[in-house]
């Protein structure tokens, strides 16, 4: 048996850099939620993070790069909120459906998402990286329970992320009503191999609320 290497001790400078980066992401998380990506400035974010304005660019080349890091944080917390809300579910297909539905609802109402929806390849890639491990886990559990039928869970969710971005953009642009979200998720469950009649049954239940962000 190979003895694992001892974890590297974090130096003071490394710890400071990590703390500064974390503070900038948290400041961006709050300011972009309040003002949107266009209105929030790097100097405001730096001030809230208690670092100098020039320091921001040591960690992020641009506001766009910081916004992507913020969105990854938003998605990480969304994954946690979904896991808490679905803790009592006994049907893995319902867990997956709730996750997809919640993602669309949040993406179309939280302005932190709005800017990145215009860069579909960026946000779809972030969704696959951050939310993908949770979604593919639920897909596999549902397939093992005979609820879904597919050959490649990662392929299913990669296609689903692109569909989610398109649906969200259409809702934000007024081409689709938010009332169409349930129907959209029913169609996405079909992509996982669930018959429409079974998918519709999932939406007859009362969904729990997501925990506050």
């Amino acid at each position: 048996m190979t003895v694992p290497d001892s974890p590297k001790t974090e130096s003071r400078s490394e710890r400071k850099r990590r703390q500064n980066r974390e503070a900038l992401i948290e400041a961006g998380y709050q300011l972009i939620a309040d003002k949107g990506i266009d209105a929030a400035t790097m100097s405001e974010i730096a001030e809230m993070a208690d670092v100098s304005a020039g320091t921001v660019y040591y960690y992020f080349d641009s506001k766009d790069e910081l916004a992507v890091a913020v969105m990854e944080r938003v998605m990480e917390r969304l994954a946690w909120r979904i896991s808490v809300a679905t803790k009592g579910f006994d049907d893995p297909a319902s867990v997956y459906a709730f996750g997809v539905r919640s993602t669309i609802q949040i993406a179309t109402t939280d302005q932190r998402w709005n800017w990145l929806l215009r860069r579909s390849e960026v946000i779809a890639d972030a969704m696959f990286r951050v939310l993908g491990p949770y979604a593919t886990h639920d897909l596999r559990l549902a397939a093992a329970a005979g609820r879904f039928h597919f050959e490649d869970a990662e392929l299913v969710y990669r296609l689903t992320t692109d569909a989610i971005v398109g649906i969200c953009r259409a809702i934000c642009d007024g081409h689709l009503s938010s009332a169409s979200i349930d129907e959209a998720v029913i169609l996405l469950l079909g992509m996982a191999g669930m018959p429409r009649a079974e998918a519709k049954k999932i939406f007859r239940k009362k969904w729990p609320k997501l925990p506050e962000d």
Side-chain angles (χ1 to χ4, degrees):
M1 179 185 298
T2 302
V3 178
D5 295 334
S6 300
K8 182 182 177 183
T9 303
E10 188 178 43
S11 69
R12 179 178 297 179
S13 61
E14 289 171 334
R15 183 168 62 253
K16 183 62 175 177
R17 286 194 295 271
R18 175 178 55 78
Q19 290 171 342
N20 283 345
R21 189 177 190 278
E22 178 68 17
L24 287 166
I25 293 173
E26 284 297 314
Y29 190 97
Q30 295 300 323
L31 278 172
I32 293 172
D34 294 340
K35 304 179 69 172
I37 181 65
D38 293 327
T41 67
M42 291 292 260
S43 60
E44 288 176 313
I45 292 169
E47 183 177 357
M48 179 175 280
D50 196 25
V51 302
S52 66
T55 301
V56 180
Y57 294 97
Y58 177 84
Y59 301 95
F60 302 100
D61 291 337
S62 65
K63 187 164 65 171
D64 287 5
E65 186 176 310
L66 173 57
V68 172
V70 168
M71 282 309 306
E72 290 176 349
R73 180 63 50 81
V74 170
M75 291 176 188
E76 288 167 1
R77 291 184 178 172
L78 175 59
W80 173 82
R81 294 163 70 194
I82 291 169
S83 69
V84 170
T86 58
K87 193 173 183 179
F89 284 27
D90 57 7
D91 173 25
S94 295
V95 175
Y96 177 76
F98 182 86
V100 172
R101 183 177 184 263
S102 297
T103 300
I104 297 172
Q105 288 180 321
I106 294 297
T108 52
T109 54
D110 183 336
Q111 64 177 331
R112 282 172 295 199
W113 290 75
N114 191 265
W115 171 78
L116 267 187
L117 287 173
R118 309 297 158 186
R119 297 177 61 182
S120 57
E121 74 288 351
V122 175
I123 197 164
D125 180 65
M127 286 174 60
F128 185 78
R129 284 187 289 103
V130 179
L131 298 177
Y134 303 94
T136 53
H137 174 73
D138 295 334
L139 281 164
R140 292 187 179 106
L141 286 178
R147 301 283 279 144
F148 291 158
H149 305 279
F150 54 79
E151 294 185 1
D152 188 334
E154 290 191 356
L155 176 59
V156 171
Y157 193 65
R158 190 172 289 280
L159 293 171
T160 300
T161 57
D162 286 328
I164 288 172
V165 172
I167 292 162
C168 291
R169 285 191 60 174
I171 291 172
C172 290
D173 291 344
H175 301 308
L176 284 177
S177 164
S178 59
S180 63
I181 291 176
D182 284 0
E183 173 61 19
V185 178
I186 288 170
L187 293 173
L188 292 176
L189 295 180
M191 190 183 294
M194 174 173 273
R196 181 176 177 83
E198 289 299 309
K200 290 181 72 173
K201 287 180 184 178
I202 288 178
F203 284 85
R204 293 175 187 164
K205 66 176 65 179
K206 184 177 181 180
W207 297 104
K209 290 184 178 181
L210 281 175
E212 292 296 325
D213 187 3

